[in-house]
Amino acid sequence: MGTVMDPEIAAFERMAAQHWQGTERARLGGWLLRAAGGFTGRANSALPLGDPGMPVERAVDEVHAWYTQRGLPPLIALPMWPDASPGPLETLLIQRGWRLRAGPAVVMTARTGLIADHRQDAGLAYAAEPDAEWLALYRFHGQPVPQAALPVLLSAPEQVFGSLRRDGHTVATGRLSLAGGWAGITGVEVAPAWRRAGLGTAITAGLAAQAAARGVQDIFLQVEEDNAAARALYTRCGFTGRHRYHYRLAPAGS
């Protein structure tokens, strides 16, 4: 089967995959398989970037076997333009009973200079690796991050971890990654007691300024579609929606 993803989206997703990588990776023709102990869908899903080099039915079987061998639920990421109809791959997955995993996410992009123009904070500090307080504040499905998180957080060619402190404690965090000529923002967290105080905007602007200082002009992030507060924050900063993605999960016991 030929390409199963829009070529423009495929090129972007190929770049974005460098920013958040699985600790184990494999190729299935033009498909990228990623695993990282279950920490995040992006690091534990197949990304069908192009032709898998075999009939798509067999490729799906290979994906299923690869993840099952690692004790992980078989998961396929499906990036697409807004309001696009399911393509041949997703139609096949639906026929086989693969269900949606949670809601879709939106990919948002901006120019780093535009984001960096927003108010930054003198309390921001940057490091090449996250410290204990950074990791303690960051959450995965509302829970402290597992041990599998650190290799993923450090998986880009270069990353910068921003921390904003108040009263001697880290109250906001964010991660900047650099790869493929783009910057990416992940890991933005604000302690509950400090929300609605502009700290999310401050750390986003600070990270964008770090990218701009390195000569990187374009920046992206991913946010869950139903996270209205986060989407509004990033829109105010200057990000606009580009495309979306969701996951299909193999039926249990299959």
Side-chain angles (χ1 to χ4, degrees):
M1 182 177 180
T3 298
V4 294
M5 188 186 300
D6 181 280
E8 187 177 340
I9 293 179
F12 185 97
E13 289 292 330
R14 190 173 292 109
M15 173 278 298
Q18 300 176 58
H19 290 252
W20 191 268
Q21 302 189 47
T23 52
E24 185 178 1
R25 299 180 295 278
R27 293 281 179 179
L28 187 65
W31 292 20
L32 174 62
L33 280 56
R34 308 166 289 185
F39 175 64
T40 75
R42 273 175 289 165
N44 292 272
S45 59
L47 187 59
L49 293 168
D51 190 332
M54 61 186 70
V56 69
E57 295 84 359
R58 181 182 163 198
V60 170
D61 291 340
E62 294 284 343
V63 167
H64 194 291
W66 195 85
Y67 285 96
T68 300
Q69 289 167 5
R70 286 154 181 80
L72 295 169
L75 192 66
I76 296 179
L78 296 163
M80 61 183 63
W81 295 116
D83 302 321
S85 301
L89 172 58
E90 185 164 20
T91 299
L92 172 66
L93 296 177
I94 293 170
Q95 292 170 349
R96 290 190 172 193
W98 288 54
R99 61 178 176 84
L100 284 172
R101 175 187 178 270
V106 178
V107 177
M108 305 183 78
T109 62
R111 301 290 276 182
T112 55
L114 175 65
I115 309 304
D117 283 344
H118 287 263
R119 180 179 66 85
Q120 298 172 43
D121 194 290
L124 270 168
Y126 303 100
E129 296 191 10
D131 62 16
E133 287 197 40
W134 197 104
L135 291 170
L137 183 59
Y138 183 45
R139 287 290 180 268
F140 175 57
H141 295 324
Q143 301 297 319
V145 294
Q147 287 187 338
L150 188 57
V152 177
L153 290 167
L154 296 172
S155 63
E158 182 181 359
Q159 45 264 307
V160 177
F161 294 86
S163 299
L164 202 160
R165 297 176 68 82
R166 291 286 189 273
D167 302 326
H169 298 286
T170 297
V171 297
T173 61
R175 171 185 177 266
L176 178 76
S177 51
L178 300 161
W182 280 73
I185 289 181
T186 48
V188 174
E189 292 278 355
V190 178
W194 290 92
R195 290 173 183 166
R196 300 187 180 278
L199 303 190
T201 298
I203 202 157
T204 300
L207 291 171
Q210 290 286 306
R214 289 164 168 79
V216 180
Q217 297 183 346
D218 295 296
I219 191 165
F220 76 98
L221 53 81
Q222 292 130 318
V223 59
E224 292 181 358
E225 192 172 60
D226 62 1
N227 190 341
R231 290 182 66 189
L233 183 154
Y234 296 128
T235 299
R236 289 194 301 271
C237 286
F239 284 92
T240 57
R242 187 183 185 281
H243 63 271
R244 61 191 289 275
Y245 67 92
H246 58 271
Y247 298 100
R248 287 275 173 185
L249 179 66
S254 65

